[in-house]
Amino acid sequence: MKVQFIGATHEVTGSCTLLEVCGRHYLVDCGMEQGVDVFQNIELPVSPAEIEAVFLTHAHIDHSGMLPKLYKDGFRGAIFATEVTCDLCNIMLRDSAHIQESEAQWQARKAERSGEVPPEPTYTMADALGAIQQFRRCPYGKTIAAAEGIELRFTDIGHLLGSACIELWLQEGEQKRKIVFSGDVGNTNQAIIRDPQNVEETDYLVLESTYGDRLHDAYQGNLVEEFAAILQKTLDRGGNVVIPSFAVGRTQEMLYALREIKQRGLVKGHDHFPVYVDSPLASEATAIFLQCGTECFDEETLALVQQGINPIWFDDIRMTQTSDESRMINFDTEPKVILSASGMCEAGRIRHHLKHNLWRSESTILFVGYQAEQSLGRKLQEGAKKVRLFGEDVRVNAEIQKLHGTSGHADQAGLLRWLEGFKTKPKQIYVNHGEQNSCETFTALLREKGYQADAPYSGTEYDLLTGEATILTDGKPIEKANMTRGGARENKIYRELVANAEDLLRLAQARRGKTNKDNAKLTDQIRELIRKWQE
C-alpha cells in the first residue's frame, strides 16, 4: 500500500499522484503542466495500460488534461468523477484536443518550410473521445466500492462546479488506511457554488498549497457594487470593459454578478449594455451550469432558482461561436462588456480584444483571477506601458483594474480553516500543488502548528502501512532555457524567426507589379527594421 508523487510537486500545475493497493495501480488526477515548469517530473513508473482507474478531483486542465494521453498510451480503466465534472470534462478535453491538433498543424507547416520532421500532437480528438467514454458518474456524498480494497467518496470542496476532495478507504488483508486528497480547496463566499465542505477524519492528507504563503487582499466592500462602479465609469466615457476570464467557472461567476447589476439597475444610463461571451468553450460550460442539479448551488443561488430567476442569464448576453463573429465585436462602436479567454491573456481570442482596446484610454481591462508570473496578464497588472501582440507593439493607455474577492482558491487562512474541520489531526500531511515558496512556507507553518508535514518532490514514495518514505527524491530544476512547456525554447524561437523572415521574402517577391508608392513604403519599413537590429 503505497503513494508516489508524480506531478504538481513544488509546482502549481500537472497534478498526478500514483497509488498502489493490493498490487494494483491507480491515479489521483492526471493533469497537464501549464505555463512555466520549474522542476522535472518523473515518468509514470508503470505502463498506462496497468493503471486500473483514475480518481479525478475536478475538470480543470491542470488536473484532467493528460487523460487523453493516458488513453492514447493504453489506459482503459474507469475514470471516477462527480457528475458535473464528467459533463465539464466532456467539453474541456475535446477543446484541449482541438488545441493540441491545431498547434501540431501549425508546427508542421513551420517544419515543412525548414525541412524538419513535423511533430505529432500530444493527443488527438479521437484520444479525447476515448478517454471521455471511460468516465463513471459519481454523486457527492455516496461511498462507492471502486475496486478491490478501495472505497471512495467525493465531498464538495467549493473550487469549481463539481469539484471535490476525494476520500479513499484502502484495505490490504486486515490492514486498513484512509487517505484524503484535497484537490483545489475553494475560496469561501463564491458566487453560485457552495463553500468547501469538511471531512472529519483521515490517516493521511494530500493538501494543496496554491496560496499557502499569502492571504487574499483584505476587502470590505461589495464585489457587485465595485464591479458596477467600474462599468459605469467606463461606459460613461464610451469605452469597453474587457475581462480576461477563464472559460469554466470564472466566466459564469461574472455573468452571475452582471445579472444582479442589471436586475438592480446599478449602472445608470446604459440599461441594455451588451455583454459578449466570446469563447465557444465558455458558451458550452455556461450551458452545463444552467442544466446541472441544484445540489451544486449555494443557498443564494438556490433561492434564485426557486423564485424562477435564472442566476447567470439575462436578455443582453450575446454568445459568439465563430472567428468571424468574434472579429465583428471590435467593429461595433457601442460600449460593451467582453468576456473572453484565456484568463491570463496567454492565448485565445482575448489577445485580439486586447489589441483593439489596450491603446484606447476610454476602455478598461478588468482582471478577475490569478495572473501567473511572466504571463501577459501579470505584466499588464504590474504596469507595463507597452506589450507585444501579433507582431505589433501596442501602447497601454486603457485603465487596468482588478476586481477584488474573485479568487477561486482558498488563501493560507482558508486552507487552515478547512484543515481545522478535521475532528482529529491527520497522522501525516503531504503538501503539493504550490510554487516552491508557497509549498515550503505552508509546510513549515503546519509543522509549527503541530502537524507532521512533508512537501515531497516528484518521485518520492511512502509506504502507507508504516508511514515511512521508501523513496526520497530531491527537486531537479529544469534548465532555464527549457522552462516552458514543449522544451527547446531557444531552437523553437529561432525557427520562428527564420520562418517569418522567409514569409517576408515571399511577400516582397509577390509585390511585382504593385504601385511604386506602396513598394517604396514597404522597402523603407524593412530597411528601418534591418538598421534597428544591426545597431
Side-chain angles (χ1 to χ4, degrees), residues 235-295:
L235 298 176
D236 282 350
R237 65 188 180 217
N240 299 322
V241 178
V242 179
I243 306 176
S245 182
F246 298 103
V248 182
R250 192 53 42 82
T251 291
Q252 291 73 36
E253 291 171 15
M254 292 301 100
L255 292 177
Y256 184 98
L258 285 160
R259 187 267 315 154
E260 183 175 345
I261 287 169
K262 284 179 172 286
Q263 182 178 322
R264 294 170 57 189
L266 296 179
V267 174
K268 310 298 182 183
H270 308 277
D271 292 342
H272 295 286
F273 65 86
V275 175
Y276 287 87
V277 179
D278 187 30
S279 164
L281 178 59
S283 298
E284 290 191 80
T286 300
I288 290 172
F289 273 63
L290 291 170
Q291 296 165 12
C292 73
T294 56
E295 71 276 1

Side-chain angles (χ1 to χ4, degrees), residues 27-41:
L27 289 181
V28 177
D29 288 347
C30 188
M32 181 179 290
E33 291 187 292
Q34 297 175 300
V36 177
D37 295 338
V38 180
F39 294 102
Q40 296 179 22
N41 290 341

Side-chain angles (χ1 to χ4, degrees), residues 44-63:
L44 273 178
V46 297
S47 165
E50 297 178 58
I51 302 296
E52 299 283 333
V54 177
F55 310 124
L56 183 61
T57 60
H58 65 286
H60 279 150
I61 290 298
D62 64 321
H63 290 256

Side-chain angles (χ1 to χ4, degrees), residues 15-16 27-32 48 51 53-81 85-86 89-90 93 96 122-124 126-135:
S15 292
C16 185
L27 289 181
V28 177
D29 288 347
C30 188
M32 181 179 290
I51 302 296
V54 177
F55 310 124
L56 183 61
T57 60
H58 65 286
H60 279 150
I61 290 298
D62 64 321
H63 290 256
S64 70
M66 292 303 281
L67 287 170
K69 178 67 164 62
L70 196 73
Y71 181 88
K72 177 181 180 180
D73 293 341
F75 168 75
R76 292 298 183 272
I79 302 170
F80 292 87
T85 294
C86 292
C89 280
N90 182 33
L93 295 182
S96 180
T122 303
Y123 51 80
T124 66
D127 299 320
L129 293 174
I132 289 166
Q133 292 300 312
Q134 305 304 114
F135 274 80

Side-chain angles (χ1 to χ4, degrees), residues 133 187 242 380 384 388 417 427 435 457 510 517:
Q133 292 300 312
N187 200 0
V242 179
L380 289 170
R388 191 81 171 167
R417 186 165 52 248
K427 296 176 183 177
E435 293 174 355
Y457 285 98
K517 179 180 178 181

Side-chain angles (χ1 to χ4, degrees), residues 38 48 62 98 103 126 159 173 184 191 218 231 240 246 261 270 273 303-304 306 365 393 427 441 453 533:
V38 180
D62 64 321
H98 174 71
E103 286 186 354
H159 171 66
D184 288 355
L231 294 173
N240 299 322
F246 298 103
I261 287 169
H270 308 277
F273 65 86
L304 290 171
Q306 291 171 343
I365 313 301
D393 286 330
K427 296 176 183 177
T441 298
W533 287 97

Side-chain angles (χ1 to χ4, degrees), residues 318-331:
R318 302 178 187 179
M319 298 282 186
T320 57
Q321 296 294 328
T322 68
S323 298
D324 287 341
E325 289 174 332
S326 175
R327 281 191 289 270
M328 289 305 297
I329 295 172
N330 291 304
F331 291 99

Side-chain angles (χ1 to χ4, degrees), residues 185-202:
V185 181
N187 200 0
T188 55
N189 300 317
Q190 292 189 86
I192 306 173
I193 60 178
R194 296 189 295 175
D195 287 347
Q197 306 297 297
N198 289 332
V199 175
E200 292 188 352
E201 46 79 30
T202 190

